[in-house]
Amino acid sequence: MTGPTVRVDTTSPVPPYEQIRAQLAALIGSGRLPEGERLPTVRQLAADLGLAVGTVARAYKELEAAALIRSKRGAGTRVAAVPSAAHADTLRLTRLAHGYVAAARATGADETAILAAVRAAMG
């Protein structure tokens, strides 16, 4: 990744893995990280940010689950192909949900309270 950098605010109530995930998702979504761009290894990004390897691994795992990146043994982790419009809508909704959950957790809410709030909003 030679382009934009990722930063983590350790004083933020948003967990570091979520900050990394959100920033990379935004860079990929905006095209600032183009398809095929190689991302740093989990170990390298963790070292660069002064975080535990597991923190970065969780962010990468969530990005991979959202089909924004792909990891291949020997080829590293790269930005995935741009998803179809329908898939992009699902990814956008997933990003919004991640943001809500992170903000709700920062208030101290547990999973039960978060789900209750979503159900009430769907109401």
Side-chain angles (χ1 to χ4, degrees):
M1 187 169 88
T2 57
T5 57
V6 173
R7 298 192 193 314
V8 173
D9 177 1
T10 56
T11 64
S12 171
V14 178
Y17 81 89
E18 176 58 24
Q19 292 180 51
I20 296 165
R21 187 210 59 76
Q23 289 176 54
L24 288 174
L27 291 167
I28 292 166
S30 70
R32 292 185 62 205
L33 280 178
E35 177 183 345
E37 177 83 15
R38 188 172 183 151
L39 299 180
T41 65
V42 168
R43 289 186 191 279
Q44 182 61 56
L45 187 55
D48 291 349
L49 296 174
L51 298 171
V53 171
T55 301
V56 176
R58 182 169 179 185
Y60 276 26
K61 181 180 176 186
E62 292 197 12
L63 289 165
E64 196 160 12
L68 293 175
I69 64 173
R70 64 183 186 283
S71 296
K72 195 173 191 183
R73 183 174 225 127
T77 302
R78 297 186 180 271
V79 174
V82 178
S84 67
H87 191 64
D89 289 342
T90 301
L91 292 176
R92 201 170 6 264
L93 184 58
T94 300
R95 277 187 234 122
L96 288 170
H98 276 286
Y100 168 72
V101 169
R105 284 188 176 151
T107 69
D110 64 8
E111 183 177 342
T112 303
I114 294 168
L115 290 172
V118 169
R119 284 187 192 98
M122 301 279 301

